[in-house]
Amino acid sequence: MNARVQNAVTGRLSLRPPQAESLAKLVRALDAAPSLLGHEQEVAAILATLKAEFTTLEDFEREFPSLCFSLATGVGKTRLMGAFIAYLHLAHGINNFFVLAPNLTIYNKLIADFTPNTPKYVFKGIAEFAQQPPLIITGDNYDQTGAVVQDQTMGFAHDVRINIFNISKINSEVRGGKEPRIKRMKEVLGDSYFNHLANLPDLVLLMDESHRYRASAGVRSINELKPLFGLEVTATPFVESTRGPVPFKNVVMDYPLARAMEDGFVKEPAAVTQRNFDAKAHTPEEIEKIKLEDGIRLHETTKVELLTYSRENRVKVVKPFMLVIARDTTHAAQLKALIESTAFYEGRYADKVIQVDSSRTGAEEEAMIARLLAVESVDEPTEIVIHVNMLKEGWDVTNLYTIVPLRAANARTLIEQSIGRGLRLPYGKRTGVAAVDRLNIVAHDKFQEIIDEANRGDSPIRLKQVILEAPSADDKKVSVQVGSGAMMRLGLADVLALTPDLSHATAPERGRGESFTPVFATASERQAARVVMDVIGKYEVKRDLVPTSGALLNADVQAAILAEVTERLKPAQGELLAGADDGMSALDLSAVVAKTTEIVVQQTIDIPRIAVVPTGEVTTGFHPFKLGTLPNFQPGQREIVGQELRTNRQFTMSREAGIREQRFEDYIVKKLIDFDDIDYFTQAALLYDLAGQAVAHYQAQNYSDNELHEVFDTYSAELARLIRAEMMAHFWEEATEYEVQVSRGFTELKACNYTAVAGQTAHHYRETVTELGRIKQMLFGGFARCLYPLQKFDSDTERRFAVILERDALKWFKPAKGQFQIYYKLGTEQPEYVPDFVAETDSRILMVETKARIDIDTQDVQAKATAAARWCMHASNHAVSVGSKPWRYLLVPHDEITESRRLVDFLRFEVKG
């Protein structure tokens, strides 16, 4: 029951692996110490039990059990709290939760994220909360909303109630030994509501950013609520003290920034400087101006990379902004005045900068905050934010790409404070484009110090902590090649020692699991069988004679195969037929041919090789169009060099010293015709029209001719890439007609290649995976109907779908890359699509893709579905012509996959070609 709820919450909320691993650890804690769920607790006994379960746990550090989950910034701590609440309610019937926020910003953010129909609603996908969402009771409305709770009928009393309070407000209220307002007798509710909470049988305390108030007077007051247990989430599990950071003793999950970077959940931070920069040769004022100017150059380059990426991939446009950290409010005002002046890029950023600090009050402050909160919007003009104290937790933006720290600080402080707010990825994942995935820290005068600090063993960027059962970069990996079931049964592939543990499987399941004992035991038989396989491979292209694999069993085909195998073995015939190594007087080649062919047919799902090719004359071109927004490139002579802090990779940005062209348009056209898919002779008019539009845009910026030559010489390649990306959206191709060509009626299954941890034992496919973050490292076996003895799954959803296939399909497998050769169009690229599963039933063959529900409608998934459905349509047409089974393509949402479903139930998710 609990495992099903855990899997359901993980799937419905589309938890990332670190979040799923955290939820799994909470489940482990509750399973190991069930007394956590009741008030009759022996805290010391619970601690002893959980210390045996989690090696990093030393002490609860509270009067009640409390566990800390440390997740790096940007991984999703609020979503994790939502998962905790959903699981505790659905699995254990807990209805009452008390959520603490460290400040007003996070307090308001939590209220928004726990409120239905908001962009980041944490319970999106939890059907039980769709009908009756949790009641949100806050520090501002508890004396009204909280009172209502007590007046409701029992039915309402069992609904989920989430109390969200701001600990900083409570801290201010308890100064001088006072009691917080929530406990005061003179309030309308006051003491009665606090006592109401304290007397609840199932109150669970959740603490967001718990490092900010761990030992505060407000928390000591809240402790009197006597919750069942506490759950803490933070990215920094330590308390600062005069002697340095003091680590928490109750951490059970530690997912540090180093792992988040490696796994691609956050941007790669990089320190940036100029080549051969000598800080001693400049005054402090000059250094500031140089850093600001170079920050703008990086900012504009990033802007064009983001614009190009959005156009190439048809995704939302992201507007980047630059954050400048000032010393104080006076310094911030001076910087704002400089940036708005004509001395700074001729005042082009005058209306694109805001100053965010305590110097604003009243209407000015409200306007400033409104602009700050809207900084992610492409319609909001702000591109530069000046701030005094680094914006703290709760300000979650994804479009911060350039940071210019102008405040004196040591290297470690610069790293820790600079990267925190800029780590979140705008698309939720890495794109593979370095500039789109990178956070730039402009630190000319501190560059080497930052690089040295990042390379220290205890740097937050490199710091890794080995925890129980967590994946380790030091694990010895091996490459495993898994041959098809046919090759294993014939003894032509290595028999793997990675046998799954079937001890927990039922007797019927243990009986169904295949041992893959080779049918051919002798070297002579295996040598002959290998030749038979080679000969069968030649019949794949003989579609008239062998339209399907089943036709290999026809008597005339068997005779032809036997004849060719006999002919090929003639040089070794004497040895083979004179006496086999098992004492046989002669090798029965006809029996080897018959058995080998029989196994191949049994272990094959007929996959035709299909190609759609244009016939007749094919013409291509681009429709004329008007260019979209162009970046605000600036003239600049200096070369910029940057270095990523984790990988130490360097990158540079410098102006080219090319030939001075006669026309500005020539700079761009020369770069455009470097692309293989742009033909100058047929597209010259369009190319010069587009280049002319770009030139007109920059001429309108009042640059001098020399500056224009410099801009186009420096940025012509970037402009050409941007223009080409737009051209691809206007590409056309015309052919007289298209022809579907089927070159093979069936194809041999390719071997699968996996990377696995050396010495690991394969898991039984029915085994419940508790550490979901490790599932991609696991191998699974124990199959009876899979065409491979071992498989790897990308998610637990795939493993559960395999359980259904083992029960309902005749045979199935997960294809290797290149098995189908289906290609789809995504922007300017045509990647290969590898479906998740192929399964054969009595009446049809299914190609299946399982996807998180929120990803179903994304461009990438839909492009794959279109290409796959079209392939299945052509394959079905071919199947009709040879009397075989039709193909169907299914795109199945992850939250539909439960063992109670039959395979036929998923046919409603068919995508038509």
Side-chain angles (χ1 to χ4, degrees):
M1 166 64 183
N2 293 349
R4 287 200 300 272
V5 174
Q6 176 192 344
N7 291 334
V9 171
T10 299
R12 291 183 197 171
L13 294 183
S14 301
L15 297 185
R16 289 171 162 179
Q19 297 166 322
E21 188 177 338
S22 298
L23 178 60
K25 290 195 172 185
L26 173 60
V27 174
R28 276 174 55 194
L30 294 172
D31 288 345
S35 60
L36 282 167
L37 298 168
H39 274 289
E40 300 300 322
Q41 297 178 347
E42 292 185 14
V43 177
I46 294 175
L47 177 62
T49 299
L50 294 185
K51 283 174 71 173
E53 193 73 21
F54 303 106
T55 57
T56 55
L57 176 64
E58 297 178 40
D59 190 78
F60 292 140
E61 299 190 277
R62 302 187 188 281
E63 296 176 3
F64 56 87
S66 188
L67 304 175
C68 178
F69 299 81
S70 173
L71 267 67
T73 296
V75 174
K77 293 183 285 295
T78 308
R79 173 62 64 91
L80 177 59
M81 287 196 292
F84 285 161
I85 290 172
Y87 173 79
L88 290 170
H89 172 67
L90 296 175
H92 299 290
I94 292 178
N95 291 335
N96 293 282
F97 300 89
F98 196 93
V99 181
L100 278 178
N103 56 37
L104 183 61
T105 304
I106 296 181
Y107 169 70
N108 290 328
K109 174 181 176 293
L110 287 173
I111 293 173
D113 290 350
F114 279 98
T115 301
N117 302 318
T118 53
K120 297 179 181 178
Y121 182 49
V122 296
F123 296 125
K124 195 177 295 181
I126 303 296
E128 291 82 354
F129 290 165
Q131 298 291 326
Q132 179 64 60
L135 178 67
I136 305 302
I137 304 167
T138 72
D140 299 307
N141 70 9
Y142 71 88
D143 48 357
Q144 291 85 36
T145 309
V148 171
V149 171
Q150 295 177 309
D151 297 334
Q152 298 301 315
T153 62
M154 282 300 292
F156 186 88
H158 286 286
D159 290 334
V160 175
R161 295 181 292 278
I162 302 174
N163 298 270
I164 303 177
F165 279 75
N166 177 7
I167 193 67
S168 65
K169 189 169 187 295
I170 295 176
N171 282 336
S172 66
E173 292 172 349
V174 300
R175 286 181 187 143
K178 297 178 183 178
E179 288 190 326
R181 189 170 71 93
I182 189 176
K183 294 179 66 177
R184 292 178 199 165
M185 294 286 292
K186 293 180 181 179
E187 295 290 336
V188 176
L189 264 178
D191 187 72
S192 64
Y193 186 59
F194 187 89
N195 282 344
H196 163 73
L197 291 173
N199 291 326
L200 289 171
D202 62 347
L203 187 67
V204 171
L205 181 62
L206 292 100
M207 291 161 272
D208 193 13
E209 305 290 0
S210 61
H211 63 283
R212 297 282 300 280
Y213 49 84
R214 192 175 175 90
S216 70
V219 170
R220 288 195 295 273
S221 178
I222 294 299
N223 285 347
E224 295 176 27
L225 288 172
K226 296 182 174 60
L228 294 178
F229 53 88
L231 301 173
E232 306 177 33
V233 292
T234 180
T236 51
F238 53 83
V239 176
E240 292 288 357
S241 72
T242 54
R243 291 173 293 178
V246 179
F248 289 4
K249 297 180 180 179
N250 63 340
V251 175
V252 295
M253 171 68 186
D254 189 9
Y255 187 78
L257 183 57
R259 284 183 60 193
M261 289 179 184
E262 285 184 357
D263 295 343
F265 291 132
V266 295
K267 297 188 188 109
E268 283 278 8
V272 177
T273 187
Q274 280 184 30
R275 178 79 65 193
N276 301 323
F277 185 80
D278 183 5
K280 296 180 182 143
H282 302 277
T283 65
E285 293 75 16
E286 289 174 339
I287 292 176
E288 280 191 358
K289 191 165 185 291
I290 290 170
K291 289 170 72 173
L292 284 172
E293 289 174 345
D294 286 346
I296 287 294
R297 294 177 65 205
L298 281 165
H299 167 71
E300 289 296 338
T301 300
T302 302
K303 193 193 300 184
V304 73
E305 291 284 1
L306 284 163
L307 192 57
T308 300
Y309 179 80
S310 71
R311 291 173 178 172
E312 286 179 341
N313 296 279
R314 304 291 179 87
V315 292
K316 68 176 181 179
V317 176
V318 173
K319 178 204 73 176
F321 76 94
M322 182 172 88
L323 182 69
V324 181
I325 309 171
R327 293 189 297 272
D328 49 42
T329 55
T330 302
H331 185 219
Q334 292 170 348
L335 292 172
K336 186 171 185 288
L338 170 63
I339 293 171
E340 290 178 332
S341 72
T342 55
F344 190 81
Y345 289 116
E346 299 180 358
R348 296 189 186 106
Y349 297 92
D351 58 347
K352 299 178 180 180
V353 58
I354 60 173
Q355 179 182 343
V356 181
D357 56 41
S358 58
S359 65
R360 301 288 191 271
T361 58
E364 282 190 348
E365 182 183 23
E366 291 180 8
M368 169 193 75
I369 292 175
R371 287 187 68 176
L372 179 63
L373 295 178
V375 76
E376 283 185 294
S377 171
V378 293
D379 300 320
E380 206 284 323
T382 301
E383 294 187 34
I384 303 172
V385 174
I386 303 174
H387 199 270
V388 176
N389 295 314
M390 185 65 192
L391 292 158
K392 300 294 185 182
E393 298 97 342
W395 188 53
D396 295 335
V397 291
T398 61
N399 59 331
L400 173 54
Y401 272 90
T402 307
I403 299 177
V404 183
L406 300 179
R407 184 182 63 205
N410 62 42
R412 188 182 187 93
T413 302
L414 273 177
I415 294 174
E416 292 179 350
Q417 292 192 340
S418 295
I419 64 178
R421 304 279 59 82
L423 286 174
R424 287 174 175 80
L425 292 161
Y427 297 108
K429 61 182 180 181
R430 296 264 180 89
T431 64
V433 180
V436 177
D437 297 334
R438 187 172 61 228
L439 170 66
N440 298 305
I441 305 169
V442 181
H444 295 30
D445 47 339
K446 295 278 187 180
F447 179 80
Q448 192 57 52
E449 290 178 51
I450 288 178
I451 297 301
D452 292 343
E453 180 64 36
N455 287 328
R456 283 168 52 97
D458 62 348
S459 166
I461 292 177
R462 292 187 171 272
L463 185 63
K464 295 179 185 177
Q465 185 171 348
V466 179
I467 54 178
L468 186 65
E469 297 178 346
S472 167
D474 296 327
D475 286 340
K476 184 180 179 182
K477 301 293 196 303
V478 292
S479 180
V480 178
Q481 185 172 78
V482 180
S484 67
M487 297 295 283
M488 298 293 288
R489 283 168 171 76
L490 295 171
L492 303 184
D494 291 338
V495 179
L496 295 170
L498 297 167
T499 307
D501 178 10
L502 305 182
S503 59
H504 67 289
T506 63
E509 288 170 347
R510 286 197 294 271
R512 285 180 61 200
E514 295 286 358
S515 62
F516 293 101
T517 301
V519 296
F520 296 134
T522 69
S524 306
E525 290 173 321
R526 288 195 292 271
Q527 182 181 352
R530 195 173 297 280
V531 175
V532 175
M533 290 295 292
D534 290 340
V535 173
I536 288 175
K538 295 179 62 178
Y539 279 81
E540 290 182 9
V541 297
K542 298 180 180 180
R543 284 184 47 242
D544 294 335
L545 182 62
V546 185
T548 67
S549 62
L552 291 169
L553 300 176
N554 294 343
D556 54 343
V557 176
Q558 287 278 287
I561 293 174
L562 176 60
E564 185 167 350
V565 169
T566 304
E567 183 67 22
R568 287 196 186 189
L569 289 174
K570 268 187 178 178
Q573 194 97 353
E575 297 175 16
L576 289 172
L577 301 182
D581 48 11
D582 62 349
M584 292 173 54
S585 59
L587 177 65
D588 188 347
L589 277 181
S590 62
V592 173
V593 169
K595 191 61 179 177
T596 301
T597 312
E598 178 189 353
I599 289 175
V600 167
V601 174
Q602 288 175 352
Q603 294 291 306
T604 296
I605 294 177
D606 288 350
I607 301 172
R609 181 63 49 80
I610 296 173
V612 180
V613 295
T615 58
E617 185 180 358
V618 179
T619 55
T620 62
F622 302 90
H623 297 294
F625 63 95
K626 294 297 180 184
L627 286 176
T629 305
L630 291 171
N632 190 17
F633 282 134
Q634 310 289 343
Q637 299 289 341
R638 296 179 294 271
E639 180 181 25
I640 289 177
V641 60
Q643 184 164 328
E644 292 183 357
L645 300 182
R646 181 176 66 89
T647 63
N648 288 318
R649 285 195 296 263
Q650 283 201 347
F651 59 94
T652 60
M653 190 182 80
S654 61
R655 70 176 298 267
E656 297 181 7
I659 299 172
R660 190 180 179 92
E661 300 291 346
Q662 293 295 316
R663 291 189 295 174
F664 296 128
E665 290 86 351
D666 290 340
Y667 287 105
I668 302 172
V669 173
K670 282 179 64 176
K671 296 296 184 182
L672 282 169
I673 62 178
D674 284 342
F675 292 105
D676 293 337
D677 49 10
I678 296 179
D679 177 41
Y680 175 80
F681 296 101
T682 60
Q683 305 299 320
L686 175 64
L687 297 181
Y688 273 99
D689 174 66
L690 297 173
Q693 292 181 43
V695 169
H697 169 80
Y698 290 101
Q699 286 175 329
Q701 307 297 317
N702 295 320
Y703 289 126
S704 67
D705 279 1
N706 283 338
E707 287 179 319
L708 286 171
H709 277 289
E710 188 178 317
V711 166
F712 293 126
D713 186 22
T714 303
Y715 299 110
S716 56
E718 287 89 341
L719 281 169
R721 282 185 57 222
L722 184 61
I723 292 171
R724 175 180 174 270
E726 286 201 61
M727 289 176 67
M728 290 302 116
H730 300 274
F731 176 80
W732 56 266
E733 177 183 277
E734 294 178 357
T736 308
E737 57 183 338
Y738 291 90
E739 181 181 278
V740 178
Q741 298 178 352
V742 181
S743 58
R744 302 183 183 205
F746 65 97
T747 50
E748 181 182 358
L749 294 185
K750 294 179 174 292
C752 296
N753 294 285
Y754 303 133
T755 299
V757 177
Q760 74 156 299
T761 299
H763 300 261
H764 191 270
Y765 71 94
R766 275 196 169 276
E767 180 182 332
T768 299
V769 180
T770 55
E771 302 261 353
L772 297 180
R774 294 177 56 86
I775 195 166
K776 290 185 179 182
Q777 304 174 37
M778 299 176 178
L779 288 170
F780 291 83
F783 308 111
R785 300 183 179 181
C786 182
L787 301 188
Y788 290 91
L790 294 175
Q791 295 274 236
K792 256 195 174 186
F793 301 118
D794 288 333
S795 66
D796 197 54
T797 297
E798 290 189 2
R799 182 194 64 80
R800 286 184 279 115
F801 195 76
V803 173
I804 297 172
L805 294 178
E806 273 291 293
R807 183 190 66 204
D808 293 352
L810 296 178
K811 42 192 170 182
W812 67 274
F813 69 100
K814 284 179 63 63
K817 186 176 176 63
Q819 187 69 62
F820 279 86
Q821 297 186 11
I822 300 174
Y823 298 92
Y824 63 102
K825 190 166 181 61
L826 187 66
T828 57
E829 305 298 325
Q830 287 196 327
E832 180 185 354
Y833 169 52
V834 182
D836 287 341
F837 297 93
V838 173
E840 183 173 345
T841 68
D842 289 325
S843 58
R844 56 180 66 89
I845 301 175
L846 303 175
M847 182 186 293
V848 185
E849 182 78 15
T850 61
K851 267 289 177 273
R853 186 176 287 276
I854 61 171
D855 294 332
I856 291 288
D857 293 325
T858 60
Q859 181 193 12
D860 181 63
V861 172
Q862 288 298 312
K864 292 175 180 177
T866 299
R870 189 181 300 119
W871 187 95
C872 288
M873 179 185 69
H874 296 318
S876 291
N877 293 338
H878 168 71
V880 169
S881 68
V882 298
S884 188
K885 298 174 183 177
W887 285 75
R888 299 287 183 267
Y889 180 73
L890 310 182
L891 180 55
V892 183
H894 74 288
D895 52 7
E896 297 283 346
I897 298 173
T898 62
E899 287 191 52
S900 62
R901 299 282 172 85
R902 300 168 301 167
L903 186 55
V904 294
D905 293 333
F906 299 109
L907 293 177
R908 62 193 176 96
F909 297 109
E910 179 181 356
V911 178
K912 301 284 189 180

